[in-house]
Amino acid sequence: MKPLLLVALLGCLAAVFAGPAGKVRWCVKSEQERLKCEDLVAHAPAFSCVKKEDALSCILAIKAGEADAITLDGGDIYIAGLENYNLYPIIAEDYGHTSDTCYYAVAVAKKNTGFGFKELRGKKSCHTGLGKSAGWNIPIGTLLSMNEMHWKGTDDKPVEEVVNDFFVSSCVPGATSNSKLCALCKADCSRSHKEPYYDYGGAFQCLKDVGDVAFVKHLTVPDSEKANYELLCKDNTRAPIDSYETCHLARVPAHAVVTRKDPQLAELIWTNLQSVQGFNLFSSEAYAPAKNLMFKDSTVKLVQVPPNTDSFLYLGAEYTSIVRSLRRDQTTSGVSSAIRWCAVGHAETSKCDTWSVSSASSGTASIECQSGSSVEECLKKIMSKDADAMAVDGGQVYTAGKCGLVPALVEQYDEALCNITGATASSYYAVAVVKKGTVSSWEDLRGKRSCHTGKGRTAGWNIPMGLIHNIINDCNFTKYFPRGCAPGADPGSSFCTQCGGSERAVGDESKCKPSADEKYYGYSGAFRCLVEGAGDVAFIKHTIVPEYNNVQQPTWARGVQSADYELICPGKGPVPISDFLSCHLAKVPAHAVVTRPDSRSKVVSILKEQQAMFGNYGSDTSFRMFHSERGKNLLFKDSTKCIQDIPSGTNYKQFLGEEYMRAMASLRECSETASDLEKSCSFHSCQQK
């Protein structure tokens, strides 16, 4: 098929999927929602309404292109994000100063009824709906994690049967196959507004009428009735209804609008919602007794979710883990004793595979390999438990920390400190390198071509661009460097024009990619960019140039002599490469191994065992962790002498230090310097530890 014909066909398909004349087809789940939606259409003709039976039917309709959008609770966002549906959250509800884009899941009981959260067995329970966040996933997950409820898994019985045996009777809208879980319901026990006890208001009404406890969100109880109800806290105490900040089961991400992965459709939905006038999207008063129609009534405004945020990133690792534990999506049988190392690109994956084979003992490997196209993809794999660890640069430690990961071990570049317990963590100097005689001062760099180790990396981006931001007070760095190579930058930006890719003649998809497949990626890559004349300045670490001086060199570095290069820094003229102590941009922390908090002990233990075998003085010479055969700085920096554990409990802020955190705060004044992953991880205040 010819390219132009294919583009035209795709354009037609996009138009069909977006609905007639660019209308946003909103999916509704009840007659009350349909009425509100039709009233919206009267005020905003850019919308139309599609009625389905329930949330899953709406998810299927959006996937099939029969509808475009629906607002879902966290449990349904999880379902919508599964591979067979692949819908994305694009707009979050914001509940104002009480919780922003999060809400508190709480347990509510009538005042003076004399029982605590740990004494719910045998009580009558009211739930917003089967699989919903505050009404099911959080309370049942919490009771299971506290061992108040006992479940061996789906091989034993469905979790609904465990809940059935725990409470004497319940109303769990959607649990229609279990009569006991529907015993308290008023109508058909459907997960829709046809059941009066459905959703937050319904679960609270159930508590008022027949129940002992209701699992709802923190803003559910009306002001006029707060004096008659209390919160049940996890420590078995009670608290007033407004004490939800200190007495709650969990703080969870807000409801969100989901749609297909289509940036144009997402923008159309956002634009049309923002342009609604003369109609209150966040009120269901005209359709009483129904509440929370289309949006939650407690919503104050809507907020765009950062681009490329999937359901996992939106919900966060903690909430997703709860949902998986209830669904048993992850089996606990056959768990490997190995750690899964995440490698970026072909060269690293090849080295990791060799490591894995070498690590095998009695037929069982201590290292298994996962691969990702970028560090960020690997960080996502670690967050989602598809991988366990990788070594990253300080800027990537910052992003990993924002996403809930922790630094576990640090590279040490001073051999004398390797055998000293509690030795000072290693560090290095970020420097700017130029060819001798080409640049007279720091100010002379303006207008030159720049070579960076990678966008978001410490020596190659965060430190120099933070300095430049302070100088020009402008986030448009192309005003300073009109062209450059910063692997990981937008492929269409001027910071990709000087990149070299993999040097394949045809179909080179590696250009400007943040992996070793891009020849100008990393420390050696940025220096190569300078050596080969693709750039005028390279932002690297202080040891890189001497590493290529009078040693066995790759073809591109033959003839490289330290004397042919100089350092440049603010307030000084050019100085020799050896004068890095007097001319550097910053002293920064060494690279570190990052992992999930729950995996830290295992990762530290296995890597120390691996170092004893494959470190610089290890007992097995078949593999060397800190040496790269087919590249440079693969998996670890080649200058690493050993890795040392970071004290347990150290978070990314403590590891990076105040000076680095200040530099990052300055750089983050330019929002575009944060990656999509970092923006996604930082979006919800409830996910920030």
Side-chain angles (χ1 to χ4, degrees):
M1 186 178 288
K2 292 182 179 180
L4 287 176
L5 182 59
L6 178 60
V7 170
L9 177 59
L10 291 174
C12 290
L13 286 172
V16 170
F17 272 74
K23 283 181 180 287
V24 173
R25 297 164 297 177
W26 204 273
C27 198
V28 297
K29 314 184 297 293
S30 67
E31 182 59 22
Q32 296 99 316
E33 276 202 331
R34 188 193 66 78
L35 289 172
K36 179 175 179 179
C37 184
E38 294 294 351
D39 287 344
L40 167 64
V41 172
H43 289 80
F47 291 90
S48 64
C49 310
V50 177
K51 186 175 180 294
K52 297 293 179 181
E53 281 300 305
D54 50 33
L56 182 57
S57 299
C58 281
I59 289 169
L60 287 165
I62 295 170
K63 169 68 175 175
E66 298 165 3
D68 299 316
I70 184 175
T71 308
L72 295 177
D73 140 281
D76 290 325
I77 292 171
Y78 176 86
I79 300 296
L82 296 175
E83 280 188 22
N84 44 333
Y85 307 121
N86 201 33
L87 302 187
Y88 276 63
I90 59 165
I91 300 166
E93 294 180 342
D94 187 307
Y95 309 121
H97 69 279
T98 59
S99 53
D100 302 317
T101 58
C102 307
Y103 62 92
Y104 296 92
V106 296
V108 178
K110 294 168 186 170
K111 204 166 189 177
N112 301 320
T113 43
F115 59 86
F117 186 75
K118 296 179 181 179
E119 295 149 355
L120 288 177
R121 183 180 293 276
K123 299 295 187 289
K124 294 177 287 185
S125 62
C126 302
H127 307 255
T128 59
L130 185 68
K132 290 178 77 71
S133 296
W136 183 264
N137 293 341
I138 296 301
I140 304 308
T142 302
L143 288 165
L144 287 168
S145 68
M146 293 173 65
N147 291 318
E148 298 299 324
M149 248 181 220
H150 302 283
W151 185 37
K152 296 177 182 178
T154 50
D155 290 343
D156 177 38
K157 63 175 76 171
V159 71
E160 289 89 337
E161 286 189 26
V162 178
V163 180
N164 181 89
D165 296 339
F166 185 81
F167 295 111
V168 67
S169 59
S170 305
C171 177
V172 186
T176 49
S177 62
N178 189 310
S179 59
K180 192 176 174 186
L181 292 182
C182 289
L184 293 184
C185 292
K186 201 167 185 178
D188 63 355
C189 192
S190 66
R191 201 167 173 271
S192 74
H193 292 287
K194 288 186 288 186
E195 168 54 59
Y197 290 163
Y198 168 68
D199 206 11
Y200 301 106
F204 178 61
Q205 190 62 45
C206 167
L207 172 63
K208 289 177 66 175
D209 295 346
V210 293
D212 297 316
V213 61
F215 301 110
V216 291
K217 64 165 287 198
H218 68 291
L219 298 175
T220 301
V221 181
D223 289 344
S224 60
E225 301 191 56
K226 286 180 179 178
N228 301 321
Y229 295 88
E230 291 176 313
L231 299 178
L232 304 183
C233 311
K234 287 192 287 186
D235 64 0
N236 219 39
T237 61
R238 289 191 173 207
I241 290 295
D242 286 333
S243 297
Y244 50 80
E245 290 187 10
T246 54
C247 177
H248 57 264
L249 306 184
R251 198 171 180 211
V252 295
H255 291 204
V257 177
V258 302
T259 189
R260 298 177 293 281
K261 189 177 183 181
D262 179 342
Q264 289 181 312
L265 178 57
E267 190 59 33
L268 178 68
I269 294 167
W270 170 254
T271 301
N272 285 346
L273 285 172
Q274 291 299 104
S275 63
V276 172
Q277 294 184 341
F279 184 83
N280 190 347
L281 289 169
F282 315 132
S283 173
S284 304
E285 192 175 348
Y287 316 95
K291 295 181 178 179
N292 303 309
L293 302 177
M294 298 181 68
F295 297 93
K296 275 162 56 175
D297 296 341
S298 54
T299 304
V300 173
K301 63 180 179 179
L302 300 175
V303 182
Q304 277 185 298
V305 175
N308 299 317
T309 302
D310 59 19
S311 60
F312 170 76
L313 288 175
Y314 181 81
L315 296 171
E318 187 174 15
Y319 181 84
T320 304
S321 180
I322 291 171
V323 178
R324 284 177 173 170
S325 69
L326 293 176
R327 293 167 55 87
R328 286 296 190 258
D329 286 355
Q330 291 184 325
T331 177
T332 55
S333 61
V335 176
S336 171
S337 60
I339 60 171
R340 294 159 298 174
W341 194 268
C342 200
V344 179
H346 175 75
E348 282 206 341
T349 301
S350 178
K351 179 179 177 180
C352 188
D353 288 340
T354 303
W355 185 10
S356 179
V357 171
S358 301
S359 76
S361 173
S362 303
T364 303
S366 295
I367 301 294
E368 295 174 358
C369 301
Q370 290 283 328
S371 62
S373 61
S374 66
V375 170
E376 299 225 329
E377 186 178 327
C378 275
L379 293 179
K380 283 183 68 174
K381 284 178 179 282
I382 297 171
M383 292 162 63
S384 61
K385 300 187 178 180
D386 293 322
D388 297 311
M390 71 183 305
V392 296
D393 144 280
Q396 294 154 344
V397 170
Y398 182 89
T399 298
K402 287 284 188 180
C403 293
L405 304 183
V406 295
L409 299 109
V410 61
E411 294 179 347
Q412 176 59 261
Y413 311 126
D414 186 342
E415 197 166 345
L417 297 178
C418 279
N419 295 318
I420 300 176
T421 303
T424 303
S426 198
S427 58
Y428 61 94
Y429 293 92
V431 295
V433 178
V434 296
K435 289 181 178 177
K436 191 170 185 178
T438 60
V439 176
S440 59
S441 68
W442 178 265
E443 291 71 26
D444 195 31
L445 289 177
R446 189 187 291 265
K448 297 289 193 293
R449 300 165 302 161
S450 55
C451 302
H452 307 262
T453 58
K455 189 174 181 184
R457 294 190 59 168
T458 299
W461 185 267
N462 294 343
I463 296 301
M465 303 317 265
L467 280 171
I468 288 166
H469 176 251
N470 284 334
I471 293 168
I472 64 175
N473 198 28
D474 193 324
C475 294
N476 183 3
F477 295 121
T478 60
K479 291 181 179 178
Y480 207 86
F481 296 122
R483 288 182 294 156
C485 177
D490 186 309
S493 82
S494 60
F495 281 106
C496 284
T497 57
Q498 301 304 108
C499 290
S502 64
E503 298 184 287
R504 285 196 298 269
V506 179
D508 189 357
E509 296 180 353
S510 299
K511 184 171 181 176
C512 208
K513 290 288 189 292
S515 79
D517 296 339
E518 160 58 62
K519 69 175 184 175
Y520 293 157
Y521 174 69
Y523 296 109
S524 58
F527 182 47
R528 181 178 181 180
C529 168
L530 175 66
V531 170
E532 294 187 339
D536 303 305
V537 58
F539 297 108
I540 51 180
K541 63 170 287 207
H542 70 284
T543 63
I544 295 302
V545 178
E547 286 176 13
Y548 287 95
N549 195 36
N550 297 322
V551 296
Q552 187 175 358
Q553 298 165 325
T555 303
W556 65 264
R558 283 176 188 161
V560 165
Q561 297 289 327
S562 292
D564 296 331
Y565 296 87
E566 295 176 314
L567 300 179
I568 197 78
C569 54
K572 294 190 72 168
V575 301
I577 291 293
S578 57
D579 284 0
F580 58 86
L581 287 176
S582 69
C583 185
H584 57 263
L585 308 185
K587 186 179 181 182
V588 294
H591 289 204
V593 175
V594 294
T595 186
R596 298 179 303 279
D598 59 277
S599 300
R600 182 195 172 279
S601 296
K602 178 181 177 181
V603 167
V604 169
S605 175
I606 290 179
L607 285 181
K608 284 193 167 182
E609 291 172 2
Q610 292 296 296
Q611 178 168 246
M613 287 190 288
F614 305 120
N616 288 350
Y617 300 100
S619 58
D620 189 335
T621 59
S622 65
F623 175 77
R624 283 288 174 250
M625 292 168 64
F626 313 131
H627 177 70
S628 304
E629 291 282 349
R630 300 172 188 170
K632 193 82 171 166
N633 302 311
L634 303 177
L635 304 183
F636 299 94
K637 274 162 61 176
D638 294 343
S639 56
T640 303
K641 305 305 179 187
C642 65
I643 48 175
Q644 297 172 311
D645 59 328
I646 297 166
S648 179
T650 303
N651 62 32
Y652 75 104
K653 295 179 182 178
Q654 293 165 324
F655 173 76
L656 293 173
E658 290 183 12
E659 184 180 15
Y660 195 97
M661 291 302 296
R662 279 196 299 271
M664 290 304 297
S666 174
L667 193 60
R668 286 301 181 264
E669 289 179 23
C670 304
S671 61
E672 68 275 11
T673 63
S675 65
D676 284 351
L677 176 61
E678 186 182 317
K679 288 175 182 176
S680 296
C681 289
S682 306
F683 178 66
H684 291 303
S685 57
C686 47
Q687 289 172 205
Q688 298 303 300
K689 301 298 183 185

